Amino acid sequence: VVPERADSPWTAIRRRAGRTAAVRYALGEDVYGKPVPAALLTPPVDLENRTVEAGRTFTHEADFTLAEDDEWTLLVHHGGSRPDVRLDGEELFPRQPGAAEEHTGGFLATAPDGLAVRRRTLTLKAGRHRLSVTAQGGARGQRFRLRRTTRASRAADLAEAVKAAKAARSVVLFAYEDAGEGADRTGLALPGGQAALIEAVTAANPRTTVVLNTPAGVTMPWLERTGAVLQMYYPGQEGAAATADVLFGDADPGGRLTQTFPADEHVHPVAGDPARYPGVGGRQEYTEGIHVGHRWYDAQEAAPLFPFGHGLSYTTWRYEKLTVRPERGGLRVEFTVRNTGRRKGTDVAQVYVGPSPELRLDQPVRALAGYRRLTLAPGRSQRITLDLDARALSSWDAEQHTWVVGKGLREVFAGRSSRDLPLRATALVR
């Protein structure tokens, strides 16, 4: 879906900051590349914004020489069929089968002007290299451009970002990862040089808020050096305004994580088991049973980076006076949530239940059974009532092919996340 309009975060932040504030921008990670200098190539050619008329073909072969080893990311932007780009005889951007054709390694596959983008990172040896480009105009003609980033260009962008960070009172650093259906992410780290960028900027200015526009959890080796992290996922057309609202405190960050963020690439439900991921011989096995998400971390007593249900607030909260009693074939859970801070805030109160001692089935250590979102003024409190019906207290019996109520003495927990549960009580389920 292409929105009618969508502000950039920079625009929204400048608007909210007002005319008396100085809001400056620096490019930290160049995801679209810089023009290849025509003079670098022999014979020289300008490969920036080339137009190929309908029915025509553009082709050019050229040499270039590197004085030392370098790492290049070559990028082709195109408005028609993808140009054939070869370096030392190797085709750099061949078409991929299935969903792999749409996956571009974590960064956007479309340039701001609508051209499709493909990237390829290569380590180039010092010496002479041969570059050839062939582009077809097709039935309607097309535009294309060939760009690159180098170690030197990346270092210059990083230096400019650090310079801007040192001169600023505070920094908002946006990090990004693109993802879609049908293709796995290659890892949990931010793509490209973004982790190094965050490390450098936070070293220059610890008052740095990292805003993550990512599809899911990422590893954060830089976390302790940041002032804050704001997880915005893909916030849509009004995402820039929503981000500014939270950054300036106009809105309390009332969202809560719907997934567990792992602390390590090697400690999560599918790590270390090739049959689960990436699969063996084209077969992938889902053998974790009922221990999915936070249930796996609880069963393994593994410490996550951020637990399921986690989320901070600009105010403080206290949970108290938990009572649980049988009600209508289930349990009635009541407790009080109090805003103990100085400003209005939003919280999501969560209730979890422990396993039944009478069921001879695999059960989670704790399972989410209910939640309530509430907004309170400072100093105010609210009595929360959640009715857990028989379904919320049941487990699936694969042999009987039905839900079975977990009877007996059950533990009930209430709090702000799956790992922040200050209230605990027991009740008998009959």
Side-chain angles (χ1 to χ4, degrees):
V1 176
V2 179
E4 179 183 342
R5 58 181 293 275
D7 287 340
S8 72
W10 188 30
T11 299
I13 289 171
R14 283 189 301 169
R15 181 189 302 124
R16 175 58 183 81
R19 295 180 179 180
T20 60
V23 182
R24 297 183 176 90
Y25 166 80
L27 175 70
E29 173 89 0
D30 186 350
V31 300
Y32 297 117
K34 303 183 187 328
V36 177
L40 177 70
L41 305 174
T42 304
V45 63
D46 183 5
L47 295 175
E48 181 74 7
N49 285 327
R50 300 290 310 198
T51 299
V52 185
E53 296 179 359
R56 305 296 293 272
T57 299
F58 168 88
T59 185
H60 189 84
E61 293 189 9
D63 294 328
F64 64 91
T65 301
L66 297 181
E68 58 185 10
D69 294 353
D70 202 351
E71 183 181 87
W72 281 24
T73 296
L74 278 163
L75 304 95
V76 62
H77 301 207
H78 57 97
S81 62
R82 187 152 68 242
D84 181 275
V85 180
R86 296 176 183 268
L87 184 62
D88 299 328
E90 179 187 358
E91 185 179 359
L92 298 184
F93 308 105
R95 294 195 66 82
Q96 302 294 323
E101 173 62 21
E102 304 302 323
H103 188 64
T104 59
F107 286 125
L108 283 169
T110 306
D113 62 356
L115 297 188
V117 179
R118 288 296 180 273
R119 302 167 180 83
R120 178 77 178 273
T121 299
L122 305 145
T123 299
L124 301 182
K125 295 293 185 181
R128 176 173 289 189
H129 297 271
R130 185 73 169 173
L131 177 71
S132 69
V133 180
T134 302
Q136 306 292 338
R140 299 182 179 180
Q142 75 153 314
R143 287 190 303 123
F144 80 92
R145 51 185 172 255
L146 188 70
R147 291 185 171 181
R148 66 166 187 170
T149 61
T150 66
R151 284 198 183 110
S153 71
R154 287 191 290 273
D157 288 336
L158 183 63
E160 183 66 24
V162 168
K163 179 181 177 181
K166 287 181 177 179
R169 180 176 182 271
S170 58
V171 177
V172 181
L173 191 157
F174 286 80
Y176 183 83
E177 182 176 13
D178 191 38
E181 298 178 9
D184 288 321
R185 299 162 69 196
T186 57
L188 299 182
L190 289 168
Q194 294 182 100
L197 171 68
I198 296 171
E199 295 276 9
V201 168
T202 52
N205 189 333
R207 289 176 57 87
T208 295
T209 297
V210 176
V211 180
L212 293 173
N213 292 129
T214 59
V218 298
T219 52
M220 303 182 196
W222 36 263
L223 176 64
E224 294 304 318
R225 289 176 289 283
T226 65
V229 176
L230 178 59
Q231 175 61 258
M232 290 298 293
Y233 294 101
Y234 298 155
Q237 181 175 346
E238 292 299 322
T243 302
D245 284 347
V246 174
L247 290 173
F248 283 89
D250 299 332
D252 199 36
R256 298 296 179 262
L257 293 183
T258 58
Q259 64 217 147
T260 303
F261 279 34
D264 190 280
E265 286 264 13
H266 308 293
V267 184
H268 54 78
V270 300
D273 187 348
R276 287 191 188 177
Y277 177 81
V280 177
R283 175 185 174 90
Q284 190 170 1
E285 298 181 2
Y286 296 86
T287 55
E288 62 267 41
I290 56 94
H291 299 289
V292 295
H294 76 87
R295 300 177 178 191
W296 182 89
Y297 292 86
D298 293 340
Q300 299 295 321
E301 298 184 345
L305 183 63
F306 295 113
F308 172 83
H310 172 78
L312 299 181
S313 170
Y314 288 144
T315 188
T316 54
W317 303 89
R318 185 166 70 239
Y319 283 59
E320 54 193 11
K321 301 177 182 176
L322 172 66
T323 63
V324 185
R325 67 176 186 271
E327 183 85 14
R328 301 176 186 174
L331 296 175
R332 170 157 289 186
V333 181
E334 294 182 278
F335 55 96
T336 298
V337 178
R338 187 180 303 277
N339 181 348
T340 56
R342 297 181 177 181
R343 59 161 289 163
K344 181 180 178 181
T346 298
D347 204 18
V348 179
Q350 301 161 45
V351 171
Y352 296 77
V353 293
S356 163
E358 297 187 12
L359 281 183
R360 298 297 177 257
L361 298 171
D362 196 13
Q363 300 175 74
V365 175
R366 284 177 297 276
L368 180 68
Y371 59 91
R372 176 71 53 78
R373 180 182 174 94
L374 68 157
T375 300
L376 292 176
R380 301 304 295 265
S381 65
Q382 182 174 332
R383 190 70 177 165
I384 303 296
T385 301
L386 287 172
D387 287 322
L388 310 184
D389 59 14
R391 172 66 178 78
L393 302 169
S394 297
S395 293
W396 180 258
D397 189 321
E399 292 186 1
Q400 298 186 53
H401 204 71
T402 189
W403 292 100
V404 179
V405 175
K407 301 176 184 178
L409 201 62
R410 304 287 295 270
E411 280 192 299
V412 178
F413 309 82
R416 303 189 67 238
S417 79
S418 63
R419 291 294 178 93
D420 182 6
L421 298 168
L423 304 183
R424 176 185 299 191
T426 57
L428 186 64
V429 176
R430 300 185 183 279

PDB file of all heavy atoms in Angstrom, residues 123-149:
ATOM      1  N   THR A 123      34.625  -8.124  -1.727  1.00  0.00           N
ATOM      2  CA  THR A 123      35.990  -7.746  -1.370  1.00  0.00           C
ATOM      3  C   THR A 123      36.822  -7.755  -2.641  1.00  0.00           C
ATOM      4  O   THR A 123      36.934  -8.796  -3.309  1.00  0.00           O
ATOM      5  CB  THR A 123      36.578  -8.714  -0.337  1.00  0.00           C
ATOM      6  OG1 THR A 123      35.785  -8.665   0.857  1.00  0.00           O
ATOM      7  CG2 THR A 123      38.011  -8.329   0.004  1.00  0.00           C
ATOM      8  N   LEU A 124      37.369  -6.600  -3.004  1.00  0.00           N
ATOM      9  CA  LEU A 124      38.117  -6.455  -4.250  1.00  0.00           C
ATOM     10  C   LEU A 124      39.604  -6.346  -3.946  1.00  0.00           C
ATOM     11  O   LEU A 124      40.016  -5.605  -3.043  1.00  0.00           O
ATOM     12  CB  LEU A 124      37.642  -5.217  -5.011  1.00  0.00           C
ATOM     13  CG  LEU A 124      36.162  -5.168  -5.389  1.00  0.00           C
ATOM     14  CD1 LEU A 124      35.869  -3.899  -6.181  1.00  0.00           C
ATOM     15  CD2 LEU A 124      35.770  -6.399  -6.180  1.00  0.00           C
ATOM     16  N   LYS A 125      40.398  -7.074  -4.702  1.00  0.00           N
ATOM     17  CA  LYS A 125      41.839  -7.023  -4.562  1.00  0.00           C
ATOM     18  C   LYS A 125      42.404  -5.812  -5.295  1.00  0.00           C
ATOM     19  O   LYS A 125      41.807  -5.297  -6.240  1.00  0.00           O
ATOM     20  CB  LYS A 125      42.464  -8.301  -5.125  1.00  0.00           C
ATOM     21  CG  LYS A 125      42.094  -9.567  -4.377  1.00  0.00           C
ATOM     22  CD  LYS A 125      42.691  -9.569  -2.982  1.00  0.00           C
ATOM     23  CE  LYS A 125      42.435 -10.891  -2.268  1.00  0.00           C
ATOM     24  NZ  LYS A 125      43.008 -10.883  -0.890  1.00  0.00           N
ATOM     25  N   ALA A 126      43.565  -5.357  -4.857  1.00  0.00           N
ATOM     26  CA  ALA A 126      44.255  -4.283  -5.566  1.00  0.00           C
ATOM     27  C   ALA A 126      44.593  -4.741  -6.984  1.00  0.00           C
ATOM     28  O   ALA A 126      44.859  -5.917  -7.233  1.00  0.00           O
ATOM     29  CB  ALA A 126      45.529  -3.902  -4.816  1.00  0.00           C
ATOM     30  N   GLY A 127      44.540  -3.801  -7.917  1.00  0.00           N
ATOM     31  CA  GLY A 127      44.845  -4.127  -9.309  1.00  0.00           C
ATOM     32  C   GLY A 127      43.712  -3.774 -10.239  1.00  0.00           C
ATOM     33  O   GLY A 127      42.783  -3.048  -9.874  1.00  0.00           O
ATOM     34  N   ARG A 128      43.774  -4.314 -11.457  1.00  0.00           N
ATOM     35  CA  ARG A 128      42.815  -3.971 -12.493  1.00  0.00           C
ATOM     36  C   ARG A 128      41.595  -4.877 -12.434  1.00  0.00           C
ATOM     37  O   ARG A 128      41.715  -6.090 -12.211  1.00  0.00           O
ATOM     38  CB  ARG A 128      43.480  -4.063 -13.869  1.00  0.00           C
ATOM     39  CG  ARG A 128      42.520  -3.807 -15.037  1.00  0.00           C
ATOM     40  CD  ARG A 128      43.232  -3.734 -16.359  1.00  0.00           C
ATOM     41  NE  ARG A 128      44.019  -2.495 -16.459  1.00  0.00           N
ATOM     42  CZ  ARG A 128      44.613  -2.089 -17.579  1.00  0.00           C
ATOM     43  NH1 ARG A 128      44.528  -2.827 -18.681  1.00  0.00           N
ATOM     44  NH2 ARG A 128      45.300  -0.969 -17.600  1.00  0.00           N
ATOM     45  N   HIS A 129      40.415  -4.268 -12.689  1.00  0.00           N
ATOM     46  CA  HIS A 129      39.161  -5.008 -12.736  1.00  0.00           C
ATOM     47  C   HIS A 129      38.381  -4.588 -13.976  1.00  0.00           C
ATOM     48  O   HIS A 129      38.531  -3.469 -14.473  1.00  0.00           O
ATOM     49  CB  HIS A 129      38.328  -4.748 -11.477  1.00  0.00           C
ATOM     50  CG  HIS A 129      38.981  -5.219 -10.222  1.00  0.00           C
ATOM     51  ND1 HIS A 129      38.826  -6.480  -9.724  1.00  0.00           N
ATOM     52  CD2 HIS A 129      39.833  -4.574  -9.351  1.00  0.00           C
ATOM     53  CE1 HIS A 129      39.526  -6.600  -8.605  1.00  0.00           C
ATOM     54  NE2 HIS A 129      40.145  -5.457  -8.363  1.00  0.00           N
ATOM     55  N   ARG A 130      37.530  -5.513 -14.452  1.00  0.00           N
ATOM     56  CA  ARG A 130      36.729  -5.267 -15.650  1.00  0.00           C
ATOM     57  C   ARG A 130      35.258  -5.186 -15.277  1.00  0.00           C
ATOM     58  O   ARG A 130      34.703  -6.077 -14.630  1.00  0.00           O
ATOM     59  CB  ARG A 130      36.934  -6.413 -16.653  1.00  0.00           C
ATOM     60  CG  ARG A 130      36.254  -6.213 -17.992  1.00  0.00           C
ATOM     61  CD  ARG A 130      36.975  -5.174 -18.804  1.00  0.00           C
ATOM     62  NE  ARG A 130      36.503  -5.147 -20.196  1.00  0.00           N
ATOM     63  CZ  ARG A 130      36.879  -4.242 -21.084  1.00  0.00           C
ATOM     64  NH1 ARG A 130      37.755  -3.294 -20.736  1.00  0.00           N
ATOM     65  NH2 ARG A 130      36.434  -4.261 -22.312  1.00  0.00           N
ATOM     66  N   LEU A 131      34.608  -4.083 -15.657  1.00  0.00           N
ATOM     67  CA  LEU A 131      33.192  -3.864 -15.383  1.00  0.00           C
ATOM     68  C   LEU A 131      32.442  -3.757 -16.696  1.00  0.00           C
ATOM     69  O   LEU A 131      32.861  -3.025 -17.603  1.00  0.00           O
ATOM     70  CB  LEU A 131      32.999  -2.576 -14.582  1.00  0.00           C
ATOM     71  CG  LEU A 131      31.546  -2.165 -14.264  1.00  0.00           C
ATOM     72  CD1 LEU A 131      30.945  -3.107 -13.226  1.00  0.00           C
ATOM     73  CD2 LEU A 131      31.486  -0.725 -13.766  1.00  0.00           C
ATOM     74  N   SER A 132      31.332  -4.492 -16.798  1.00  0.00           N
ATOM     75  CA  SER A 132      30.478  -4.372 -17.986  1.00  0.00           C
ATOM     76  C   SER A 132      29.033  -4.206 -17.552  1.00  0.00           C
ATOM     77  O   SER A 132      28.580  -4.822 -16.586  1.00  0.00           O
ATOM     78  CB  SER A 132      30.614  -5.610 -18.887  1.00  0.00           C
ATOM     79  OG  SER A 132      30.046  -6.749 -18.277  1.00  0.00           O
ATOM     80  N   VAL A 133      28.302  -3.336 -18.253  1.00  0.00           N
ATOM     81  CA  VAL A 133      26.898  -3.045 -17.946  1.00  0.00           C
ATOM     82  C   VAL A 133      26.095  -3.114 -19.232  1.00  0.00           C
ATOM     83  O   VAL A 133      26.456  -2.470 -20.234  1.00  0.00           O
ATOM     84  CB  VAL A 133      26.740  -1.646 -17.310  1.00  0.00           C
ATOM     85  CG1 VAL A 133      25.273  -1.379 -16.994  1.00  0.00           C
ATOM     86  CG2 VAL A 133      27.592  -1.516 -16.057  1.00  0.00           C
ATOM     87  N   THR A 134      25.013  -3.887 -19.214  1.00  0.00           N
ATOM     88  CA  THR A 134      24.096  -3.965 -20.341  1.00  0.00           C
ATOM     89  C   THR A 134      22.679  -3.765 -19.832  1.00  0.00           C
ATOM     90  O   THR A 134      22.243  -4.469 -18.917  1.00  0.00           O
ATOM     91  CB  THR A 134      24.195  -5.321 -21.062  1.00  0.00           C
ATOM     92  OG1 THR A 134      25.534  -5.525 -21.505  1.00  0.00           O
ATOM     93  CG2 THR A 134      23.251  -5.378 -22.253  1.00  0.00           C
ATOM     94  N   ALA A 135      21.962  -2.786 -20.398  1.00  0.00           N
ATOM     95  CA  ALA A 135      20.601  -2.482 -19.961  1.00  0.00           C
ATOM     96  C   ALA A 135      19.679  -2.436 -21.165  1.00  0.00           C
ATOM     97  O   ALA A 135      20.012  -1.825 -22.194  1.00  0.00           O
ATOM     98  CB  ALA A 135      20.564  -1.159 -19.211  1.00  0.00           C
ATOM     99  N   GLN A 136      18.512  -3.078 -21.051  1.00  0.00           N
ATOM    100  CA  GLN A 136      17.520  -3.115 -22.116  1.00  0.00           C
ATOM    101  C   GLN A 136      16.436  -2.068 -21.876  1.00  0.00           C
ATOM    102  O   GLN A 136      15.943  -1.927 -20.754  1.00  0.00           O
ATOM    103  CB  GLN A 136      16.870  -4.502 -22.193  1.00  0.00           C
ATOM    104  CG  GLN A 136      17.847  -5.652 -22.333  1.00  0.00           C
ATOM    105  CD  GLN A 136      18.552  -5.656 -23.673  1.00  0.00           C
ATOM    106  OE1 GLN A 136      18.064  -5.069 -24.649  1.00  0.00           O
ATOM    107  NE2 GLN A 136      19.706  -6.315 -23.746  1.00  0.00           N
ATOM    108  N   GLY A 137      16.075  -1.365 -22.940  1.00  0.00           N
ATOM    109  CA  GLY A 137      14.988  -0.396 -22.826  1.00  0.00           C
ATOM    110  C   GLY A 137      13.627  -1.042 -22.756  1.00  0.00           C
ATOM    111  O   GLY A 137      12.693  -0.466 -22.177  1.00  0.00           O
ATOM    112  N   GLY A 138      13.496  -2.227 -23.341  1.00  0.00           N
ATOM    113  CA  GLY A 138      12.208  -2.916 -23.325  1.00  0.00           C
ATOM    114  C   GLY A 138      11.153  -2.176 -24.117  1.00  0.00           C
ATOM    115  O   GLY A 138      11.449  -1.351 -24.986  1.00  0.00           O
ATOM    116  N   ALA A 139       9.891  -2.441 -23.797  1.00  0.00           N
ATOM    117  CA  ALA A 139       8.791  -1.844 -24.564  1.00  0.00           C
ATOM    118  C   ALA A 139       8.547  -0.385 -24.194  1.00  0.00           C
ATOM    119  O   ALA A 139       8.025   0.386 -25.001  1.00  0.00           O
ATOM    120  CB  ALA A 139       7.514  -2.659 -24.333  1.00  0.00           C
ATOM    121  N   ARG A 140       8.938   0.017 -22.985  1.00  0.00           N
ATOM    122  CA  ARG A 140       8.622   1.369 -22.525  1.00  0.00           C
ATOM    123  C   ARG A 140       9.848   2.222 -22.230  1.00  0.00           C
ATOM    124  O   ARG A 140       9.716   3.385 -21.876  1.00  0.00           O
ATOM    125  CB  ARG A 140       7.758   1.284 -21.263  1.00  0.00           C
ATOM    126  CG  ARG A 140       6.420   0.581 -21.474  1.00  0.00           C
ATOM    127  CD  ARG A 140       5.614   0.598 -20.184  1.00  0.00           C
ATOM    128  NE  ARG A 140       4.310  -0.031 -20.342  1.00  0.00           N
ATOM    129  CZ  ARG A 140       3.403  -0.154 -19.386  1.00  0.00           C
ATOM    130  NH1 ARG A 140       3.689   0.333 -18.178  1.00  0.00           N
ATOM    131  NH2 ARG A 140       2.254  -0.737 -19.618  1.00  0.00           N
ATOM    132  N   GLY A 141      11.019   1.654 -22.366  1.00  0.00           N
ATOM    133  CA  GLY A 141      12.213   2.381 -21.985  1.00  0.00           C
ATOM    134  C   GLY A 141      12.414   2.305 -20.476  1.00  0.00           C
ATOM    135  O   GLY A 141      11.527   1.881 -19.736  1.00  0.00           O
ATOM    136  N   GLN A 142      13.587   2.707 -20.019  1.00  0.00           N
ATOM    137  CA  GLN A 142      13.825   2.686 -18.587  1.00  0.00           C
ATOM    138  C   GLN A 142      14.969   3.614 -18.188  1.00  0.00           C
ATOM    139  O   GLN A 142      15.756   4.056 -19.030  1.00  0.00           O
ATOM    140  CB  GLN A 142      14.142   1.261 -18.100  1.00  0.00           C
ATOM    141  CG  GLN A 142      15.530   0.746 -18.437  1.00  0.00           C
ATOM    142  CD  GLN A 142      16.005  -0.312 -17.422  1.00  0.00           C
ATOM    143  OE1 GLN A 142      15.881  -0.132 -16.215  1.00  0.00           O
ATOM    144  NE2 GLN A 142      16.526  -1.425 -17.941  1.00  0.00           N
ATOM    145  N   ARG A 143      15.011   3.916 -16.885  1.00  0.00           N
ATOM    146  CA  ARG A 143      16.142   4.615 -16.277  1.00  0.00           C
ATOM    147  C   ARG A 143      16.893   3.634 -15.387  1.00  0.00           C
ATOM    148  O   ARG A 143      16.288   2.743 -14.779  1.00  0.00           O
ATOM    149  CB  ARG A 143      15.664   5.788 -15.419  1.00  0.00           C
ATOM    150  CG  ARG A 143      15.158   6.982 -16.180  1.00  0.00           C
ATOM    151  CD  ARG A 143      14.948   8.165 -15.231  1.00  0.00           C
ATOM    152  NE  ARG A 143      14.031   7.858 -14.135  1.00  0.00           N
ATOM    153  CZ  ARG A 143      14.328   7.973 -12.841  1.00  0.00           C
ATOM    154  NH1 ARG A 143      15.547   8.349 -12.475  1.00  0.00           N
ATOM    155  NH2 ARG A 143      13.421   7.714 -11.917  1.00  0.00           N
ATOM    156  N   PHE A 144      18.197   3.816 -15.293  1.00  0.00           N
ATOM    157  CA  PHE A 144      18.954   3.028 -14.332  1.00  0.00           C
ATOM    158  C   PHE A 144      20.184   3.814 -13.893  1.00  0.00           C
ATOM    159  O   PHE A 144      20.570   4.807 -14.518  1.00  0.00           O
ATOM    160  CB  PHE A 144      19.369   1.670 -14.920  1.00  0.00           C
ATOM    161  CG  PHE A 144      20.569   1.724 -15.823  1.00  0.00           C
ATOM    162  CD1 PHE A 144      21.862   1.520 -15.314  1.00  0.00           C
ATOM    163  CD2 PHE A 144      20.440   1.983 -17.178  1.00  0.00           C
ATOM    164  CE1 PHE A 144      22.972   1.577 -16.135  1.00  0.00           C
ATOM    165  CE2 PHE A 144      21.543   2.034 -18.011  1.00  0.00           C
ATOM    166  CZ  PHE A 144      22.818   1.831 -17.491  1.00  0.00           C
ATOM    167  N   ARG A 145      20.777   3.383 -12.815  1.00  0.00           N
ATOM    168  CA  ARG A 145      22.035   3.957 -12.349  1.00  0.00           C
ATOM    169  C   ARG A 145      22.818   2.882 -11.601  1.00  0.00           C
ATOM    170  O   ARG A 145      22.234   1.980 -10.991  1.00  0.00           O
ATOM    171  CB  ARG A 145      21.810   5.171 -11.454  1.00  0.00           C
ATOM    172  CG  ARG A 145      20.830   4.982 -10.316  1.00  0.00           C
ATOM    173  CD  ARG A 145      20.585   6.282  -9.561  1.00  0.00           C
ATOM    174  NE  ARG A 145      19.496   6.144  -8.598  1.00  0.00           N
ATOM    175  CZ  ARG A 145      18.265   6.642  -8.768  1.00  0.00           C
ATOM    176  NH1 ARG A 145      17.970   7.318  -9.871  1.00  0.00           N
ATOM    177  NH2 ARG A 145      17.342   6.459  -7.854  1.00  0.00           N
ATOM    178  N   LEU A 146      24.129   3.004 -11.665  1.00  0.00           N
ATOM    179  CA  LEU A 146      25.017   2.110 -10.939  1.00  0.00           C
ATOM    180  C   LEU A 146      25.750   2.927  -9.890  1.00  0.00           C
ATOM    181  O   LEU A 146      26.350   3.960 -10.201  1.00  0.00           O
ATOM    182  CB  LEU A 146      26.022   1.440 -11.882  1.00  0.00           C
ATOM    183  CG  LEU A 146      26.867   0.326 -11.243  1.00  0.00           C
ATOM    184  CD1 LEU A 146      25.993  -0.883 -10.941  1.00  0.00           C
ATOM    185  CD2 LEU A 146      28.029  -0.059 -12.147  1.00  0.00           C
ATOM    186  N   ARG A 147      25.692   2.462  -8.655  1.00  0.00           N
ATOM    187  CA  ARG A 147      26.322   3.191  -7.560  1.00  0.00           C
ATOM    188  C   ARG A 147      27.182   2.256  -6.730  1.00  0.00           C
ATOM    189  O   ARG A 147      27.180   1.039  -6.920  1.00  0.00           O
ATOM    190  CB  ARG A 147      25.250   3.853  -6.680  1.00  0.00           C
ATOM    191  CG  ARG A 147      24.526   5.005  -7.363  1.00  0.00           C
ATOM    192  CD  ARG A 147      23.566   5.685  -6.420  1.00  0.00           C
ATOM    193  NE  ARG A 147      23.021   6.909  -6.993  1.00  0.00           N
ATOM    194  CZ  ARG A 147      22.175   7.706  -6.373  1.00  0.00           C
ATOM    195  NH1 ARG A 147      21.776   7.417  -5.133  1.00  0.00           N
ATOM    196  NH2 ARG A 147      21.733   8.806  -6.940  1.00  0.00           N
ATOM    197  N   ARG A 148      27.898   2.854  -5.778  1.00  0.00           N
ATOM    198  CA  ARG A 148      28.780   2.059  -4.926  1.00  0.00           C
ATOM    199  C   ARG A 148      28.965   2.741  -3.569  1.00  0.00           C
ATOM    200  O   ARG A 148      28.747   3.948  -3.427  1.00  0.00           O
ATOM    201  CB  ARG A 148      30.154   1.893  -5.584  1.00  0.00           C
ATOM    202  CG  ARG A 148      30.877   3.219  -5.697  1.00  0.00           C
ATOM    203  CD  ARG A 148      32.344   3.115  -6.026  1.00  0.00           C
ATOM    204  NE  ARG A 148      32.986   4.422  -5.945  1.00  0.00           N
ATOM    205  CZ  ARG A 148      34.281   4.622  -5.998  1.00  0.00           C
ATOM    206  NH1 ARG A 148      35.102   3.604  -6.176  1.00  0.00           N
ATOM    207  NH2 ARG A 148      34.793   5.843  -5.890  1.00  0.00           N
ATOM    208  N   THR A 149      29.362   1.957  -2.592  1.00  0.00           N
ATOM    209  CA  THR A 149      29.968   2.475  -1.375  1.00  0.00           C
ATOM    210  C   THR A 149      31.305   1.759  -1.206  1.00  0.00           C
ATOM    211  O   THR A 149      31.467   0.606  -1.641  1.00  0.00           O
ATOM    212  CB  THR A 149      29.097   2.250  -0.122  1.00  0.00           C
ATOM    213  OG1 THR A 149      28.902   0.835   0.069  1.00  0.00           O
ATOM    214  CG2 THR A 149      27.751   2.925  -0.255  1.00  0.00           C
TER     215      THR A 149
END
